[in-house]
Amino acid sequence: RAEGPQMRRGYVGRDSMTASEKEVRKDDETREMISSMEMEDARKRGGNLEWLAVSSVMTVSIFAGLLGYDIGVMAGALLPMSRDLSFTSWQEEIAVGCLNFVSAAGSISGGTMYNKLGAVKCVKIAVVLYAVGMLVIAASYSFGMVFVGRLIVGLGVGLGFAICPQYIAEISPPAWRGVLVSCFEISINLGLCGGYLANLVVVDLSDSPRWRLLMLLPLVPTSLIYILNIPKLPESPRWLLREPRNEALARDVLVRTCGEAAAGPALADIKEIIAQQNAEEESQGDRGKKGWALLFEEPVARRALLIGAGTAFFQQANGSEAAVYYVPQVLKAAGVESERDQLGAAAVVGLCKTVFITVGQFSVDRYGRRVMLLTSIAAVTASLWLLAYCLGAAQAGGSAAGLTLFALCVFMASFSLGMGPVTWVVASEIFPLRVRSKGVAFSMAANRITSGTVAMTFLSLSRWLGVGGAFSLFACVSASHFVFTFALLPETKGKTLEEIEAVLAAGSSRYQRFVDDEEVASSPTYEANGSGVPIQAS
């Protein structure tokens, strides 16, 4: 006899149930329905990856590529530039290192400009500054003109660094935010490889046309992007919603970047956060105390600043910039005398850095920020200690040189797996909405100042401590980075920017390291509000 659905194994008909069993079954079905609704809500909030979001990220990531190009191309352009314009050694150092310090000033100014002008106008200004600066450098016939050109370029790059990671985070679906913000780090590495390639292409030219052509080459793609792509950029919906009259436009941007299903919940969350902030400002009477004052005085903003700026600082404080700029010198200390071999090894190190960044990009949203960053820091610390051993304790020679190259490759690969991409993700998403632009700007400024300091002091530090001693110091800094990250960094994978802000606000007395929404929900200190965002229980 064929068995109907009611005869399947494990099935109990309702007619044979007692009243209590029926009540239990009803509760189970209700819980299943609620769970299904919550999963559907989570799927909607995660959003879809729309083409407008991808194209916008590709457009604004140009600033990371321009910085990478500058790092790579100056390695080859500095010598012909110095011979052509008769630079002294200290002028060479300033010509290379001043851009990082000036870009820090550009980053700070970006925090204010974003609030007043929005992301798209700031991107346009940054592109123009970069183009004008490169033209000034290419037309230079003295160190003073080169210096002025580098100042202008630095302001453009710094403004782009302050605006673009935040802009990418604000237009990205939560489920894809880590991947998209990581494109910033990928662009740096692609620009770095582009600079190395450009140097090889023009190596046979005489000094003056050689370095001037290298300064003009990036203006071709920059001009095309300015004319064709930037006019199509959508404004950040979170910036638009600062004015209630822009709600329809903000919703349209959310629909075109995150999908129809995610646009409604995202719009409601943003409006709720803005309403709460306005209510707090009115109740506290601090309408005039905005921007930089709030960043340093408001508890949630201070907590975010410690995490965001601290992570940005440690990314460069471990000597990664020195490893990129001074690979030939490091290998020479390990016994590699041939300049051709040094440049070949530098290309291998650069290739490792570029290849592994793609692995880190697509892992950050799968395994989470904490896992990727902590794993990366641990591997970086180990490779730094190995470098210190090779360069300090081991005798220079073939085996030490080979081990040194291996350690350098592991260092760059480990950096690219986590520290490279995750830093930009954390800095762009950790700050509350009303101080986000200034928080990101401050973090980028800290990153650029640290980068410039490491790059301009590495040779002096190596003469003082020895190359091995310098990397021992970097290893200690990297170990401190691990402790800092383990203690303070919350897991933000898959959360909306508004949920991240709520989690930081809830942990008013101590730092919370939530792994997922289930851990948040199970904590007795927290409850969910109407939109599912965890808040501190009263």
Side-chain angles (χ1 to χ4, degrees), residues 313-397:
F313 162 79
F314 276 115
Q315 186 205 42
Q316 294 298 328
N318 62 9
S320 60
E321 200 82 352
V324 173
Y325 274 119
Y326 302 113
V327 170
Q329 290 89 333
V330 171
L331 292 173
K332 184 176 181 179
V336 181
E337 298 294 340
S338 168
E339 184 175 345
R340 180 178 297 273
D341 290 342
Q342 293 170 5
L343 294 175
V348 172
V349 173
L351 182 63
C352 286
K353 191 173 188 295
T354 303
V355 169
F356 278 88
I357 189 64
T358 58
V359 179
Q361 179 193 25
F362 290 100
S363 300
V364 65
D365 278 323
R366 180 176 181 181
Y367 299 107
R369 283 62 161 156
R370 280 178 59 82
V371 171
M372 293 301 298
L373 193 51
L374 289 171
T375 303
S376 173
I377 297 170
V380 163
T381 304
S383 61
L384 284 170
W385 282 120
L386 181 59
L387 272 172
Y389 168 77
C390 294
L391 298 168
Q395 294 294 322

Side-chain angles (χ1 to χ4, degrees), residues 177-227:
R177 189 170 59 245
V179 172
L180 294 178
V181 176
S182 298
C183 289
F184 208 68
E185 179 69 15
I186 289 182
S187 296
I188 293 177
N189 289 276
L190 292 177
L192 182 71
C193 292
Y196 287 140
L197 180 61
N199 283 323
L200 293 174
V201 170
V202 301
V203 68
D204 294 326
L205 296 178
S206 58
D207 285 346
S208 182
R210 177 181 169 186
W211 70 264
R212 295 179 195 278
L213 180 60
L214 289 171
M215 298 301 107
L216 293 174
L217 280 177
L219 297 185
V220 176
T222 302
S223 300
L224 291 175
I225 289 175
Y226 185 86
I227 296 171

Side-chain angles (χ1 to χ4, degrees), residues 80-163:
M81 181 188 293
S82 179
R83 290 192 295 262
D84 185 38
L85 302 181
S86 302
F87 284 179
T88 63
S89 58
W90 70 267
Q91 288 175 332
E92 290 179 356
E93 291 179 343
I94 292 176
V96 171
C98 69
L99 186 139
N100 282 322
F101 290 100
V102 178
S103 65
S107 296
I108 293 296
S109 66
T112 301
M113 292 177 65
Y114 175 84
N115 287 337
K116 294 182 178 179
L117 303 177
V120 176
K121 289 183 179 179
C122 288
V123 169
K124 291 180 179 179
I125 293 172
V127 170
V128 171
L129 285 172
Y130 178 84
V132 170
M134 294 301 279
L135 285 172
V136 171
I137 296 173
S140 296
Y141 284 92
S142 67
F143 168 75
M145 290 184 66
V146 172
F147 180 72
V148 171
R150 295 287 284 176
L151 291 181
I152 299 173
V153 170
L155 289 174
V157 171
L159 178 58
F161 259 67
I163 299 300

Side-chain angles (χ1 to χ4, degrees), residues 488-532:
L488 303 183
L489 181 66
E491 182 54 73
T492 55
K493 179 186 73 172
K495 290 182 172 61
T496 67
L497 298 176
E498 289 67 40
E499 288 171 339
I500 295 171
E501 181 174 344
V503 169
L504 283 177
S508 57
S509 60
R510 61 190 179 92
Y511 293 99
Q512 301 291 337
R513 298 191 304 275
F514 295 125
V515 176
D516 50 36
D517 292 333
E518 287 75 12
E519 185 178 343
V520 175
S522 64
S523 172
T525 313
Y526 298 92
E527 61 186 17
N529 64 11
S531 62

